[in-house]
C-alpha cells in the first residue's frame, strides 16, 4: 500500500468555518465554477482559461523546475517567476568577484542569457478524468489486493494515451484515491537566465519579512524557454531558438481597487483539507513544534557564520532561505490554528456529520484510535527526519549508507553510480564541513534530550551535552571522507568524487571505519527498528480509513462544494483584492509602495539595505508610467486567493485574464490556510506588475525586455 507521511509533513485539516468559506479552494481547471467566478466579476469564459483544443491561458502557465510556477509574458518565450524560485540558478552563476545575488543580473540581449543545465519547465497539454478505468475491478477489495489491481490499471490507462514523442502522461489520485486524473505533460529543457534584481530588491526584508504583511519585496526573476528549430523541446544547444508560445499573458499596469476580482493559476504543492480533528491536534501540539525546534538550532548556527563571512553568506544563501522558509511558516501555522480554534471547530463539524450519517461515527472513532497510537512514532519520525535533513553531515552519511548497501547488494550499476555522484556533488558544492560539524553537534544534543530512550541507540545519552558534542564531532569531521575534509586514496570526495568512487570496494571499507558513519548507522538502525515499521503499519490503516472517510464526507455533506487537495497539479483559485483585519485594532491595507521600502531602509543591513539607484529614482520621483493614483509605485498587494507552496511564481490575473501580479507568499496570520482557510485572515501576497516593470525599465534599463511584452494601460 502507498504510505503517505501525513503527520511528518504537517498534516492539516480545516476548521468548521472554512466549510462556509468565501472563495477558498484550489480547483482543477477543467472543473472551475464559472458561474461563481462571473458573479464575482470575471469577464472571460472558463474555456479561455483552459482549452486543450485551442490556445488558452493554460498555455502560458508552466511548472518551473519541478517546484514553482512561472508564466510566459512575450511571444519569444520570456518567462517570469519569483526571485526565490530562480535563486539557486542565480547563486550558481555567482562568484565573490561577480556576485549576481548581491548586484543582480541583466542580459543585454539574447546572446547574454545564461544556460541552466538541469532546469526544466512543464506545460500541461490536457487533463482527463480516468477514475472509472483506474478503479475498475476494485469493488469490495481493500489493501494490497486493491492496490495491485490499481497499479495494473494505471499502466493500462497510461498505455492507452496516444502521445507525441516529447509528451508523457502522469496519473494522480485525488480525494484520497476516490478519483484519478491524467495529465499530458510537455517538458522543455533549455531554460536560460535573462534577468534578476539584486537581493536587496528581490529578497528585501529577507527572513524578517518572510510570511509578513506589509511587504515590500520585488520577488521576481526572468528566464527564457528555448526550443529546437521546430519549436519542440530539446536539450541545450547554441542552435536552439527562443520558444514561440501558443499563448502569452498581456501585462497590465492599470491601478487596482479593493474588491477587484482576481484569480491565480499555478501548481500548488500540498494541502490536506479533509483529515480528522485528531490529526490537526497532533500537528499543532507535537509535530510542528518538533520540526520548528530542530530548524531553529540549525538556522541560528548558520546565521552566525553567514553574518561574519561573505563567502559563507553566498555559499549558504539558498540553503538558509530554504530551511528558514518552512520554519517560520510552521510557527505561524501553529499560532493560526490555535487562534482560529481549528480543532474545536473540526470536532463540531464531525459531530454534525455523525448526526446526519451514523456510518461516519465508526470511521472517525477508528481514525482517532489510529492517530493516537501512531503519535509517539510520528513524533520520533519528525525529530529524526529533521535532524538528518538539517545536519548535512548526517545527510551525507545517509547517502553513503545507501551507497554501501547498493555496492554490497550488487545494485551499483553505472546509472546508480552517476546518480550518487550527482547527489553528493550537489551537497559538496555548497558545503562547509567545519560549520556543519557545529550544526550536527547541536541538533544531536537536541535529539538526545527530546527523544525517549526507547527510540535511541544504546548509550546515546552521551550526546546530550552540546559542548562535548562540538569537540567530538569536529574531531571526527576533519578526518572524515564523507565530509570532504579527510582523504581517501590521496584525494577528497569534495574535490574529486570520480576518483573516490573509482575504488568502491575499499571506499566501503573506509566508510565502515568512519566514526561519523558509525554514529549515523546507529541512529538509522534504532529509528528503523523502533519507529519506522510501527509508523508505517499505522499509516497503512490510516490511509484505508481516510479514503473511506472522504467518500462518506462527500456523500453526507450535500451542501458543501468539495475541491481536491493540492498535489502539485495545475489549479485555479480565485478571490478579490483585499486588505485584512487579522487582530483587534489592526487593519491592513491591500497595497504597499516604494515609500514603505524607504521607511524600512537600513544602510548596509543584511535584510533592509536599498540599492543607491533605487533611492535616487525614488528621490527624483522618476516613476514613469508605473506610478498609481497616489503618485508612488505600488510594490506588493494582497488578495483572498487560496494559495500554498508551489504557487510561488504563479500569475495573478484580473477579470480579463491580464497579468497584474506575481504570487510569492502568504500573510503570516493566515499561513494555516493549508489547514483552515479563513476569509478574514488568509491572504496571498503578490508583486505588483507595475513594480516589476518599473525595476526592469527604470532600474535595470532593460527596455529591450519591455518591448517584447504586450502592456495593457
Amino acid at each position: 500500500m502507498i504510505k503517505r507521511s501525513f503527520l511528518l509533513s504537517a498534516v492539516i485539516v480545516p476548521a468548521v468555518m472554512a466549510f462556509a468559506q468565501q472563495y477558498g479552494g484550489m480547483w482543477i481547471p477543467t472543473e472551475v465554477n464559472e458561474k461563481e467566478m462571473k458573479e464575482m466579476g470575471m469577464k472571460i469564459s472558463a474555456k479561455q482559461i483552459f482549452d486543450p483544443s485551442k490556445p488558452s491561458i493554460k498555455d502560458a502557465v508552466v511548472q518551473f523546475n519541478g517546484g514553482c510556477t512561472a508564466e510566459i509574458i512575450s511571444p519569444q518565450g520570456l518567462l517570469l517567476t519569483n526571485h526565490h524560485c530562480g535563486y539557486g540558478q542565480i547563486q550558481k552563476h555567482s562568484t565573490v568577484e561577480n556576485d549576481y545575488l548581491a548586484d543582480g543580473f541583466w542580459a543585454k540581449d539574447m546572446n547574454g542569457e545564461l544556460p541552466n543545465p538541469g532546469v526544466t519547465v512543464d506545460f500541461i497539454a490536457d487533463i482527463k478524468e480516468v477514475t472509472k478505468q483506474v478503479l475498475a475491478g476494485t469493488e469490495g477489495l481493500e489493501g494490497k489486493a486493491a492496490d495491485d489491481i490499481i497499479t495494473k490499471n494505471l499502466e493500462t490507462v497510461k498505455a492507452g494515451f496516444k502521445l507525441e514523442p516529447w509528451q508523457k502522461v502522469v496519473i494522480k489520485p485525488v480525494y484520497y484515491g476516490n478519483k484519478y486524473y491524467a495529465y499530458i505533460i510537455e517538458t522543455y529543457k533549455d531554460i536560460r537566465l535573462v534577468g534578476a534584481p539584486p537581493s536587496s530588491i528581490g529578497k528585501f526584508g529577507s527572513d524578517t519579512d518572510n510570511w509578513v504583511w506589509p511587504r515590500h519585496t520585488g520577488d521576481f526573476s526572468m528566464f527564457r524557454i528555448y526550443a529546437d528549430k521546430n519549436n519542440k523541446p530539446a536539450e541545450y544547444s547554441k542552435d536552439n531558438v527562443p520558444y514561440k508560445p501558443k499563448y502569452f499573458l498581456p501585462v497590465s499596469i492599470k491601478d487596482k481597487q479593493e474588491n477587484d476580482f482576481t484569480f491565480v493559476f499555478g501548481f500548488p504543492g500540498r494541502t490536506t483539507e479533509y483529515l480528522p480533528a485528531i490529526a490537526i491536534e497532533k500537528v499543532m501540539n507535537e509535530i510542528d513544534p518538533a520540526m520548528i525546534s530542530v530548524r531553529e538550532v540549525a538556522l541560528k548556527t548558520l546565521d552566525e557564520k553567514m553574518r561574519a563571512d561573505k563567502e559563507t553568506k553566498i555559499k549558504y544563501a539558498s540553503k538558509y532561505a530554504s530551511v528558514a522558509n518552512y520554519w517560520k511558516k510552521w510557527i505561524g501555522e501553529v499560532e493560526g490554528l490555535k487562534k482560529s480554534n481549528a480543532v474545536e471547530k473540526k470536532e463540531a463539524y464531525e459531530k454534525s456529520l455523525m448526526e446526519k450519517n451514523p456510518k461516519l461515527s465508526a470511521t472517525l472513532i477508528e481514525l482517532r484510535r489510529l492517530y493516537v497510537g501512531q503519535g509517539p512514532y510520528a513524533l520520533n519520525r519528525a525529530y529524526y527526519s529533521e535532524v538528518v535533513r538539517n545536519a548535512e553531515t548526517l545527510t551525507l552519511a545517509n547517502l553513503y549508507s545507501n551507497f554501501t548497501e547498493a555496492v554490497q547488494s550488487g545494485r551499483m550499476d553505472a546509472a546508480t553510480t552517476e546518480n550518487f555522484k550527482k547527489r553528493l556533488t550537489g551537497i559538496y558544492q555548497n558545503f562547509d564541513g567545519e560549520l556543519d560539524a557545529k550544526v550536527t553537534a547541536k541538533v544531536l544534543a537536541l535529539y538526545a534530550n527530546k527523544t525517549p530512550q526507547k527510540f535511541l541507540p544504546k548509550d546515546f545519552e552521551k550526546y546530550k551535552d552540546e559542548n562535548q558534542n562540538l569537540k567530538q564531532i569536529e574531531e571526527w569531521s576533519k578526518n572524515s571522507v564523507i565530509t570532504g575534509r579527510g582523504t581517501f586514496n590521496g584525494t577528497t570526495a569534495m574535490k574529486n568524487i570520480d576518483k573516490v568512487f573509482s575504488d568502491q570496494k575499499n571506499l566501503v571499507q573506509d566508510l565502515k571505519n568512519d566514526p561519523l558513519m558509525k554514529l549515523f548507522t546507529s541512529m538509522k538502525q534504532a529509528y528503523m527498528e523502533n519507529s519506522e515499521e510501527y509508523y508505517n503499519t499505522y499509516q497503512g490503516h490510516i490511509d484505508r480509513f481516510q479514503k473511506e472517510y472522504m467518500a462518506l464526507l462527500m456523500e453526507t455533506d450535500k451542501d458543501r462544494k468539495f475541491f481536491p487537495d493540492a498535489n502539485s497539479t495545475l489549479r485555479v483559485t480565485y478571490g478579490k483584492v483585499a486588505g485584512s483585519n487579522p487582530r483587534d485594532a489592526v487593519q491592513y491595507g491591500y497595497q504597499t509602495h516604494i515609500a514603505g521600502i524607504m521607511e524600512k531602509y537600513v544602510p548596509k543591513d543584511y535584510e533592509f539595505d536599498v540599492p543607491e539607484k533605487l533611492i535616487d529614482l525614488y528621490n527624483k520621483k522618476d516613476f514613469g508610467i508605473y506610478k498609481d493614483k497616489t503618485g508612488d509605485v505600488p510594490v506588493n498587494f494582497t488578495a483572498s486567493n487560496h494559495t500554498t507552496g508551489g504557487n510561488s511564481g504563479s500569475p495573478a490575473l484580473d477579470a480579463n485574464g491580464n497579468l497584474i501580479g506575481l504570487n510569492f507568499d502568504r500573510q503570516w496570520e493566515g499561513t494555516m490556510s493549508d489547514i483552515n482557510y479563513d476569509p478574514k485572515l488568509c491572504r496571498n501576497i503578490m508583486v505588483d506588475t507595475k513594480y516589476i516593470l518599473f525595476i526592469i525599465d527604470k532600474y535595470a534599463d532593460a527596455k529591450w525586455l519591455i518591448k517584447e511584452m504586450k502592456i495593457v494601460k
Side-chain angles (χ1 to χ4, degrees):
M1 177 173 285
I2 298 172
K3 297 177 174 63
R4 302 180 185 87
S5 303
F6 293 136
L7 285 178
L8 176 63
S9 55
V11 175
I12 44 185
V13 295
V16 69
M17 70 173 293
F19 307 144
Q21 57 190 294
Q22 188 178 17
Y23 315 135
M26 300 171 180
W27 306 92
I28 295 174
T30 53
E31 300 177 359
V32 296
N33 188 334
E34 183 176 17
K35 181 176 181 292
E36 183 175 70
M37 294 173 78
K38 287 194 170 182
E39 287 173 351
M40 291 172 59
M42 185 174 75
K43 304 288 178 58
I44 60 176
S45 69
K47 276 288 189 181
Q48 287 173 278
I49 295 174
F50 189 97
D51 190 337
S53 63
K54 62 178 65 173
S56 57
I57 292 174
K58 63 96 174 169
D59 295 309
V61 181
V62 297
Q63 188 167 45
F64 182 82
N65 209 25
C68 286
T69 304
E71 54 273 4
I72 301 172
I73 56 171
S74 91
Q76 298 187 78
L78 188 61
L79 207 62
L80 185 66
T81 190
N82 285 153
H83 186 271
H84 75 260
C85 293
Y87 202 78
Q89 285 65 55
I90 303 165
Q91 180 189 42
K92 287 177 182 177
H93 291 296
S94 295
T95 63
V96 173
E97 298 77 23
N98 204 5
D99 189 351
Y100 296 142
L101 287 176
D103 304 328
F105 167 79
W106 299 96
K108 298 300 182 185
D109 53 34
M110 290 183 186
N111 292 326
E113 296 172 356
L114 304 177
N116 299 279
V119 174
T120 61
V121 300
D122 290 340
F123 289 86
I124 304 301
D126 201 0
I127 302 173
K128 298 288 188 184
E129 186 183 349
V130 291
T131 305
K132 289 183 179 179
Q133 300 94 306
V134 173
L135 296 182
T138 64
E139 297 80 2
L141 299 178
E142 60 184 45
K144 187 176 183 302
D147 288 345
D148 287 345
I149 291 177
I150 289 172
T151 299
K152 183 179 179 181
N153 288 347
L154 284 170
E155 294 305 313
T156 301
V157 174
K158 284 182 182 180
F161 280 92
K162 295 180 180 179
L163 303 174
E164 300 292 348
W166 56 87
Q167 293 179 325
K168 66 179 178 181
V169 61
V170 172
I171 300 176
K172 289 199 173 187
V174 293
Y175 302 117
Y176 297 94
N178 284 290
K179 283 190 176 184
Y180 285 80
Y181 287 82
Y183 299 83
I184 310 302
I185 299 172
E186 298 179 351
T187 302
Y188 283 74
K189 302 179 180 180
D190 187 351
I191 314 300
R192 305 184 195 180
L193 177 63
V194 176
S199 292
S200 52
I201 291 175
K203 207 171 182 288
F204 182 79
S206 192
D207 301 305
T208 297
D209 273 6
N210 190 24
W211 302 103
V212 169
W213 184 258
R215 196 70 175 272
H216 300 84
T217 309
D219 195 349
F220 77 95
S221 59
M222 306 183 79
F223 292 78
R224 192 183 305 278
I225 306 172
Y226 280 76
D228 66 18
K229 63 181 181 180
N230 297 314
N231 208 40
K232 301 304 181 187
E235 298 289 345
Y236 169 79
S237 169
K238 292 181 180 179
D239 297 327
N240 286 346
V241 296
Y243 170 69
K244 294 180 175 57
K246 297 176 184 176
Y247 189 90
F248 66 91
L249 299 177
V251 182
S252 172
I253 55 172
K254 292 182 178 180
D255 284 3
K256 294 163 189 64
Q257 306 293 333
E258 191 139 24
N259 292 319
D260 281 352
F261 174 79
T262 178
F263 69 101
V264 170
F265 206 177
F267 294 83
R270 179 177 172 81
T271 60
T272 45
E273 299 278 353
Y274 305 111
L275 294 175
I278 182 61
I280 190 171
E281 183 180 318
K282 290 291 182 182
V283 167
M284 185 176 70
N285 295 329
E286 298 176 13
I287 305 304
D288 273 7
M291 297 190 295
I292 289 165
S293 67
V294 177
R295 294 199 178 201
E296 201 162 67
V297 170
L299 288 167
K300 184 178 179 180
T301 308
L302 295 178
D303 183 63
E304 290 171 356
K305 180 71 179 292
M306 290 172 70
R307 287 181 180 271
D309 181 65
K310 184 177 181 180
E311 186 175 353
T312 302
K313 179 181 175 182
I314 293 173
K315 183 184 290 186
Y316 273 78
S318 181
K319 190 181 302 179
Y320 184 94
S322 177
V323 174
N325 189 41
Y326 266 75
W327 165 75
K328 191 168 185 178
K329 188 262 187 183
W330 290 326
I331 294 172
E333 183 170 87
V334 170
E335 291 194 13
L337 291 172
K338 290 179 178 178
K339 182 178 179 180
S340 62
N341 297 315
V343 173
E344 293 82 359
K345 290 174 182 175
K346 183 66 175 180
E347 287 174 340
Y349 178 66
E350 291 172 357
K351 183 179 179 181
S352 71
L353 290 175
M354 288 187 284
E355 290 172 354
K356 293 179 181 179
N357 186 351
K359 287 190 293 184
L360 273 165
S361 181
T363 302
L364 284 167
I365 289 171
E366 185 62 13
L367 280 169
R368 171 169 283 275
R369 184 190 72 79
L370 290 168
Y371 273 109
V372 170
Q374 188 193 47
Y377 307 106
L379 182 59
N380 180 227
R381 181 182 174 92
Y383 273 120
Y384 174 80
S385 299
E386 283 294 308
V387 166
V388 173
R389 182 181 292 119
N390 288 283
E392 287 191 302
T393 295
L394 299 179
T395 304
L396 288 164
N398 191 24
L399 283 170
Y400 278 109
S401 174
N402 294 336
F403 160 78
T404 298
E405 291 174 8
V407 171
Q408 293 177 330
S409 64
R411 293 184 287 106
M412 203 64 178
D413 56 20
T416 305
T417 301
E418 287 306 310
N419 183 51
F420 275 118
K421 288 180 183 178
K422 183 178 179 181
R423 294 175 67 188
L424 289 164
T425 302
I427 297 175
Y428 285 136
Q429 67 184 0
N430 291 307
F431 179 73
D432 179 332
E434 183 178 358
L435 172 58
D436 197 70
K438 294 179 181 178
V439 175
T440 302
K442 292 180 180 181
V443 297
L444 278 175
L446 184 147
Y447 188 47
N449 282 288
K450 292 288 187 180
T451 306
Q453 182 58 48
K454 68 177 183 177
F455 293 122
L456 296 172
K458 184 180 179 181
D459 299 327
F460 203 77
E461 61 268 14
K462 64 186 175 185
Y463 293 107
K464 289 185 175 182
D465 189 319
E466 182 179 298
N467 292 324
Q468 285 186 344
N469 288 356
L470 287 169
K471 295 176 184 177
Q472 183 65 81
I473 300 300
E474 168 57 19
E475 181 182 339
W476 288 343
S477 174
K478 67 184 179 182
N479 296 306
S480 173
V481 65
I482 70 170
T483 63
R485 301 172 76 187
T487 61
F488 176 74
N489 287 351
T491 190
T492 70
M494 188 178 291
K495 291 183 178 179
N496 194 338
I497 193 71
D498 286 326
K499 186 175 180 182
V500 169
F501 266 59
S502 66
D503 188 358
Q504 294 184 7
K505 183 178 179 181
N506 284 327
L507 176 59
V508 167
Q509 188 58 48
D510 197 66
L511 291 171
K512 285 183 179 179
N513 296 325
D514 190 309
L516 288 174
M517 285 297 298
K518 290 180 179 179
L519 167 64
F520 172 73
T521 300
S522 69
M523 291 174 62
K524 182 178 180 180
Q525 184 175 350
Y527 171 70
M528 296 300 290
E529 291 177 356
N530 301 324
S531 272
E532 179 76 356
E533 183 179 348
Y534 298 97
Y535 175 89
N536 285 339
T537 298
Y538 273 109
Q539 193 61 54
H541 293 301
I542 287 171
D543 288 349
R544 171 195 162 194
F545 282 96
Q546 181 60 45
K547 180 178 179 180
E548 181 179 302
Y549 173 59
M550 188 75 239
L552 288 169
L553 187 61
M554 296 171 76
E555 173 190 318
T556 305
D557 195 345
K558 301 293 186 182
D559 297 327
R560 183 177 177 187
K561 294 185 65 175
F562 292 89
F563 63 91
D565 279 318
N567 61 355
S568 294
T569 58
L570 190 60
R571 302 294 180 89
V572 175
T573 180
Y574 49 92
K576 292 188 176 184
V577 174
S580 60
N581 176 213
R583 298 186 299 280
D584 183 42
V586 173
Q587 185 71 45
Y588 289 143
Y590 66 90
Q591 187 93 65
T592 61
H593 293 82
I594 295 180
I597 295 175
M598 300 308 159
E599 290 170 359
K600 291 180 176 180
Y601 170 42
V602 180
K604 307 300 181 183
D605 184 75
Y606 184 67
E607 300 177 303
F608 294 101
D609 198 9
V610 178
E612 184 177 339
K613 186 172 182 180
L614 184 57
I615 296 172
D616 186 53
L617 288 166
Y618 177 76
N619 289 336
K620 292 178 179 178
K621 300 296 183 280
D622 185 6
F623 301 147
I625 62 173
Y626 308 112
K627 62 186 177 184
D628 65 10
K629 60 187 177 184
T630 69
D632 198 352
V633 179
V635 177
N636 298 151
F637 68 102
T638 58
S640 57
N641 297 302
H642 189 177
T643 61
T644 188
N647 276 125
S648 291
S650 293
L653 302 147
D654 67 11
N656 295 301
N658 300 315
L659 183 70
I660 58 171
L662 187 61
N663 189 83
F664 72 96
D665 208 352
R666 281 174 286 168
Q667 190 169 305
W668 198 61
E669 293 88 349
T671 52
M672 81 294 190
S673 60
D674 296 343
I675 304 164
N676 174 32
Y677 178 85
D678 184 332
K680 178 183 176 182
L681 298 175
C682 297
R683 296 289 181 270
N684 66 310
I685 304 175
M686 294 149 284
V687 193
D688 199 299
T689 47
K690 283 178 178 280
Y691 188 57
I692 293 171
L693 297 188
F694 168 77
I695 294 297
I696 297 169
D697 186 348
K698 293 289 186 175
Y699 179 85
D701 197 28
K703 292 179 173 57
W704 71 283
L705 295 173
I706 300 290
K707 291 177 181 177
E708 280 191 44
M709 307 175 204
K710 179 181 178 181
I711 309 298
V712 178
K713 299 179 182 179

